[in-house]
Amino acid sequence: MNNYKLPDYDRMTLQFKVTTRLRELILKGEFKMGERLMQEEWAKKLGVSRMPLREALRQLETEGLVHIEPRRGAIVTPISIEDIEEIYRLRALLEGEAVAQSYKFLTDEDFEELEELYMKMSSLLGDDEDIEEYMVLNEKFHTVLMGGCSWRRIKGFIDTLWKGIPSYTPSLLANTIDEGRKEHLQMLEYARQGNGEELRKVTEKHILRTRDNLINMMKNNQN
């Protein structure tokens, strides 16, 4: 029998650990479409109480990885490679346009915040204890960088796309921090230079690289 029990991390919340492990198992194909996640069974397998497991399942429902039905519990609804392709191509197109619209309106305070966020992300080592913090900083960096865009609809579409898998991709991929460091710096530098076209390109590259890594991970685990 597989050992699903979670390792101990001082700085990671229990709910985050449970959510991360279940998300990883779903995306790696450990469950079939429509399979039920029994709370008592998985609380025991993961070595946790049912409370953090229930909260984790609610989070996974917002990501579209499970569907919680009355009296049936959590039903697995894995995201497909085609779903990933759609989500990340849309993100690349929309965020590329958003940053190209935004950079001219960023203030000195915005650039100071972007620099601070970049420095904090760069100081992280990339181990499991840092991933939760990196996810928060990464999402904030993208939000601030797009903050000058006045197009409400495009920002609304982007926000919808971020509510699924993208926010949590760093918890699934190795070397996320190292790979993102150079791209985040380029994004910051192009925004400071007022080079909207290069800013758009590196933003799209950053998102599509993550897409490719995630799809490769899913394919490797299907073999």
Side-chain angles (χ1 to χ4, degrees), residues 27 79 81 84 88 165-166 169 172-173 208-220:
L27 289 175
I79 285 181
I81 288 175
I84 296 297
Y88 280 83
I165 287 296
T169 303
L172 300 166
L173 300 174
L208 294 177
R209 175 190 56 76
T210 303
R211 173 205 61 184
D212 293 342
N213 288 345
L214 187 54
I215 287 176
N216 286 336
M217 183 206 77
M218 294 174 71
K219 286 181 175 178
N220 289 337

Side-chain angles (χ1 to χ4, degrees), residues 105-123:
F105 303 101
L106 296 177
T107 65
D108 290 341
E109 289 75 18
D110 291 328
F111 282 113
E112 289 176 6
E113 184 173 9
L114 287 168
E115 180 74 30
E116 183 179 354
L117 290 166
Y118 168 74
M119 294 302 294
K120 286 180 178 178
M121 285 189 286
S122 297
S123 70

Side-chain angles (χ1 to χ4, degrees), residues 129-146:
E129 294 184 0
D130 286 335
I131 291 299
E132 186 175 12
E133 183 177 359
Y134 178 85
M135 283 165 33
V136 174
L137 295 171
N138 177 62
E139 185 170 358
K140 183 65 174 175
F141 183 93
H142 284 264
T143 299
V144 174
L145 190 62
M146 293 185 289

Side-chain angles (χ1 to χ4, degrees), residues 3 5 8 10 15 28-29 48 77 94 102 114 128 130 134 147 151 159 169 174 176 180 185 192 200 204 210 223:
N3 180 11
K5 284 196 175 180
D8 293 326
D10 292 339
Q15 180 189 334
K28 286 185 174 181
V48 299
T77 55
L94 296 175
S102 172
L114 287 168
D128 289 331
D130 286 335
Y134 178 85
W151 291 6
D159 183 62
T169 303
T176 294
L185 179 58
R192 282 192 181 279
R200 181 201 301 270
E204 292 176 352
T210 303
N223 297 331

